[in-house]
Amino acid sequence: MQLGLIGYYSDFVVYPLVIALLGVAGLIEAGEESAPDWIGTVVICLGLWTLIEYVLHRFVLHHVPYIRDLHDRHHVEERSPVGTPTWLSLGVHALIALPIWLLSDFATASAVGCGLMLGYLWYISVHHMIHHWHPAHPSYLYTLKRRHAVHHHIDDNANFGVTSLFWDRVFGTARL
């Protein structure tokens, strides 16, 4: 969706606050004895985000009609504030965490939520940086920027991972 500047940048304020609050509450709920398990769940879900990012980019952003049109626009107007509104992305995270809370407990749901939201925050941060910054050669960010430029300008059927090339390698869509 076309966002105003406040809407575009609100993720960079809201997500760190939500993650911090949810993390503190989740760790308190987990207790000292279960804190390592809580942290492990966060790390696993952070890693899981990379697969979700890949799948969403490859199959949703490139194939679902209305969303595909917005994404195509992003390919043309790379610096335009087009994105997912914070209320919508947080709502999707809540739809994932709430059933886990109902089926398990708050500590587990908070760890899953924190891991996925950390992954999402990393994704939107990296995506913003590769479109707006000029990273030094041959940094991690420069490599990601170059891969993403190939996706935008040479082959939009390749390089769906924005923060990692792992899943592109696994599924044969990597193009360097």
Side-chain angles (χ1 to χ4, degrees), residues 5 10 21 60 70 73 84 99 120 129 133 141 163:
L5 290 180
S10 64
L21 292 171
V60 176
L70 290 172
R73 181 174 165 202
T84 305
Y120 179 73
M129 289 184 277
W133 293 11
L141 198 55
T163 61

Side-chain angles (χ1 to χ4, degrees), residues 67-150:
I67 296 170
R68 181 189 61 226
D69 296 341
L70 290 172
H71 190 66
D72 288 346
R73 181 174 165 202
H74 163 67
H75 277 227
V76 174
E77 301 173 30
E78 296 180 9
R79 291 182 176 230
S80 178
V82 173
T84 305
T86 302
W87 63 266
L88 181 57
S89 62
L90 274 177
V92 170
H93 283 102
L95 286 174
I96 294 167
L98 284 174
I100 294 169
W101 187 4
L102 294 172
L103 295 172
S104 182
D105 57 24
F106 178 75
T108 302
S110 68
V112 169
C114 281
L116 293 176
M117 284 190 283
L118 275 169
Y120 179 73
L121 180 60
W122 181 241
Y123 160 75
I124 62 170
S125 298
V126 167
H127 192 254
H128 175 80
M129 289 184 277
I130 61 179
H131 280 289
H132 296 273
W133 293 11
H134 302 287
H137 302 248
S139 66
Y140 162 76
L141 198 55
Y142 177 78
T143 302
L144 294 178
K145 182 178 181 93
R146 192 171 55 96
R147 290 184 71 253
H148 197 61
V150 168

Side-chain angles (χ1 to χ4, degrees), residues 13-61:
V13 175
V14 172
Y15 271 91
L17 290 173
V18 171
I19 292 165
L21 292 171
L22 191 58
V24 167
L27 279 168
I28 289 170
E29 179 72 21
E32 187 176 335
E33 191 172 294
S34 295
D37 293 337
W38 188 92
I39 293 167
T41 301
V42 169
V43 171
I44 288 167
C45 289
L46 179 58
L48 176 62
W49 168 258
T50 63
L51 176 60
I52 293 168
E53 170 193 315
Y54 176 88
V55 168
L56 286 174
H57 192 178
R58 183 173 181 184
F59 298 107
V60 176
L61 297 181

Side-chain angles (χ1 to χ4, degrees), residues 54 147 157-159 165 167-176:
Y54 176 88
R147 290 184 71 253
N157 290 309
N159 296 350
L165 67 121
W167 297 110
D168 282 302
R169 285 186 175 161
V170 168
F171 296 117
T173 55
R175 180 168 175 188
L176 301 173

